[in-house]
Amino acid sequence: MAAVYQALHRRVSSLVCRLHSTYVRKMRYLNQLKEDDSLCRQAQTSGTFYLFHNLSPFLQKVGKKYLVPQLSAAEMKGILEKFQEAEQWIEKSVLIGCSDEHRPCFALDLGALDKSVIESELQGSFTDLRKALFVLDGKDSPLLALAQSLLRWHDSHQYCSKTGQPTQKNPAGSKRVCHASGVTYYPQMSPVVITLVSNRSRCLLVRQPSFPPGMFTALSGFCDLGENVEEAVRREVAEEVGLEVESLRYSASQHWPFPSSSLMIACHALVGAQRAEISMDTLELEEARWFGMEEIVEGLKREPSSSKQDDGSFLPWFPPKQAIAHQLICEWVQQQTAQTA
C-alpha cells in the first residue's frame, strides 16, 4: 500500500510541476520580449492585437453578447494598408500578455486614424472602457484595463521631465528612454485604498457627482506619501464621512485603469454602532448613507438601465462584477448571511 501512495504522490507532484513550469515559462518568455527588442519585433509579426481608438477598446456584438476581437498580424496589416505608413503603426503597439502557447498579445491605439473606416471594416464599434466593463465577461476586462493604462502612460510620457526632449519607447512598451539624459522611465501604478465601511448590521456606500445616476460604491482614495494601508483607510474614512475606524481587514487587490492606473487595495472597515452618524465631505461626495441587507441584495440584482423610476429618481445600483467594489459588497452580504444562519 505504501508503494501505491508513493507512486500516486509522484504523479501528483509531477503534474503540479508541469503546471508550474507552464506559468514560469510563460512569465520568462514575456520578460524576454520586454528585454530583447529584436525578439519582440519578430513576435509582432505572429501575435494578436486588441484595437483602441483614443483609449476606447474595439468591441463586436454577436447576438446579445459583446466580444473583444483579437486580430491577427495579417488582419492588422489588411486594416492598416487602407492608411499610410502601416508598418510604423505596428511599432506603436504595446505588449500586454501572451497565451500558454506563447502567442503574444499586443494593444494598439489608432486614435489618429479615421474611426468610421475601421468600424465599418471590422463590423464593430469603439466603446468607452467604463461602459465596456458592464457588458464584457471577466476574461477580457483585465487585459483591456492593462492595455488602456499602458497606452495612456505612453501618451502622457512622450517627453523627458528632466530635459524636455522626446522619449523613445521600446518595442514591448515596457519602458521609455530619454537618450539625451540617459533616464529610463517605467510605467507605474498609484496605490488606492477602497474600503467598505460597516457597523455590523449596515454598510456605508457613497456617490460622487460624476457617477452615473443611481450608482453607489465603496469609499476610496489615494494613499498619501509615507502612509501604510491601515493609515490610509483610517484617514480616508475620517476625512470623507467623519467616522472613526475601530478595526479593518484586507480583502484583495485589483489593477484599475481609472483615473489613470491604480492598484486598488480592498479592505473591510468596522466602525462602532454607537458612533455611526455620517458627517459627509461635500467637496468630495454628493451622497453617503447606510444600506441595510435587503437594500444591498436588491441593488446587486438591479441593472443600471432599470434603476430609473417614473418620477425621474433612480434606485441604487452598484459597480459591475469586474470591479473590486462589487466583490467587497458581496463579501459583506455573505458575512451577514453566515451570521444569521
Side-chain angles (χ1 to χ4, degrees):
M1 183 63 71
V4 174
Y5 281 127
Q6 289 177 357
L8 180 60
H9 176 74
R10 284 196 297 269
R11 291 187 62 183
V12 172
S13 298
S14 177
L15 176 60
V16 171
C17 182
R18 287 200 299 271
L19 290 174
H20 175 70
S21 295
T22 299
Y23 174 78
V24 170
R25 287 197 300 269
K26 179 178 176 179
M27 293 301 105
R28 288 184 172 175
Y29 175 63
L30 283 172
N31 190 58
Q32 283 181 317
L33 293 178
K34 293 175 183 178
E35 299 298 327
D36 189 330
D37 291 353
S38 61
L39 183 64
C40 188
R41 289 191 181 94
Q42 182 181 351
Q44 289 171 341
T45 65
S46 60
T48 58
F49 293 82
Y50 284 103
L51 289 189
F52 286 74
H53 194 278
N54 291 330
L55 300 178
S56 294
F58 181 79
L59 307 183
Q60 290 176 330
K61 189 174 183 181
V62 180
K64 294 184 178 181
K65 286 190 174 183
Y66 285 87
L67 305 177
V68 186
Q70 294 186 47
L71 277 66
S72 67
E75 290 172 319
M76 278 300 308
K77 184 178 180 181
I79 292 294
L80 293 174
E81 282 178 347
K82 299 180 178 295
F83 306 93
Q84 295 181 348
E85 303 174 345
E87 291 185 2
Q88 292 184 19
W89 276 103
I90 294 294
E91 292 178 359
K92 297 180 180 180
S93 64
V94 295
L95 178 70
I96 57 173
C98 75
S99 67
D100 289 341
E101 295 74 30
H102 291 190
R103 190 178 191 190
C105 181
F106 297 88
L108 178 60
D109 195 303
L110 301 176
L113 303 181
D114 189 337
K115 179 171 68 172
S116 62
V117 174
I118 304 169
E119 291 178 329
S120 175
E121 181 72 19
L122 296 177
Q123 296 298 297
S125 61
F126 291 98
T127 305
D128 180 81
L129 182 57
R130 288 185 185 271
K131 295 179 181 178
L133 292 178
F134 281 98
V135 297
L136 294 173
D137 61 32
K139 176 176 66 71
D140 290 311
S141 299
L143 272 181
L144 289 184
L146 164 61
Q148 192 205 62
S149 294
L150 194 51
L151 289 168
R152 180 189 283 113
W153 181 83
H154 281 285
D155 184 60
S156 61
H157 287 76
Q158 296 184 39
Y159 295 91
C160 176
S161 60
K162 185 176 181 180
T163 66
Q165 296 298 309
T167 57
Q168 183 177 358
K169 102 173 182 48
N170 67 331
S174 59
K175 60 186 177 183
R176 297 189 73 93
V177 177
C178 173
H179 295 290
S181 65
V183 175
T184 301
Y185 296 91
Y186 296 95
Q188 296 179 336
M189 291 193 296
S190 300
V192 173
V193 290
I194 179 165
T195 309
L196 186 67
V197 177
S198 71
N199 65 352
R200 291 187 172 85
S201 62
R202 301 175 297 169
C203 69
L204 188 151
L205 298 175
V206 303
R207 57 174 283 104
Q208 296 179 353
S210 60
F211 285 6
M215 193 188 91
F216 282 79
T217 188
L219 280 169
S220 63
F222 289 97
C223 295
D224 280 350
L225 192 65
E227 280 186 326
N228 60 34
V229 171
E230 293 82 2
E231 291 168 339
V233 168
R234 295 179 189 278
R235 175 184 54 77
E236 281 292 332
V237 174
E239 285 180 354
E240 298 199 5
V241 291
L243 298 175
E244 187 170 343
V245 172
E246 290 186 349
S247 62
L248 61 93
R249 62 181 175 86
Y250 169 77
S251 171
S253 62
Q254 178 190 39
H255 168 253
W256 194 242
F258 312 112
S260 53
S261 185
S262 304
L263 176 62
M264 308 295 290
I265 305 166
C267 298
H268 290 274
L270 187 66
V271 298
Q274 305 304 317
R275 299 180 179 180
E277 184 177 348
I278 298 170
S279 175
M280 186 181 72
D281 178 2
T282 56
L283 295 178
E284 291 282 340
L285 303 175
E286 180 179 84
E287 188 174 355
R289 66 181 182 88
W290 292 104
F291 287 75
M293 177 70 163
E294 183 177 345
E295 195 172 11
I296 288 292
V297 171
E298 290 300 315
L300 286 170
K301 297 176 183 176
R302 190 172 293 123
E303 296 290 334
S305 58
S306 63
S307 69
K308 188 173 184 178
Q309 301 184 94
D310 293 338
D311 62 0
S313 63
F314 291 83
L315 294 170
W317 55 277
F318 309 135
K321 293 179 181 179
Q322 292 86 345
I324 204 165
H326 187 99
Q327 177 181 320
L328 283 172
I329 296 169
C330 288
E331 287 175 350
W332 182 82
V333 170
Q334 292 169 2
Q335 183 183 31
Q336 295 297 110
T337 303
Q339 289 175 351
T340 57

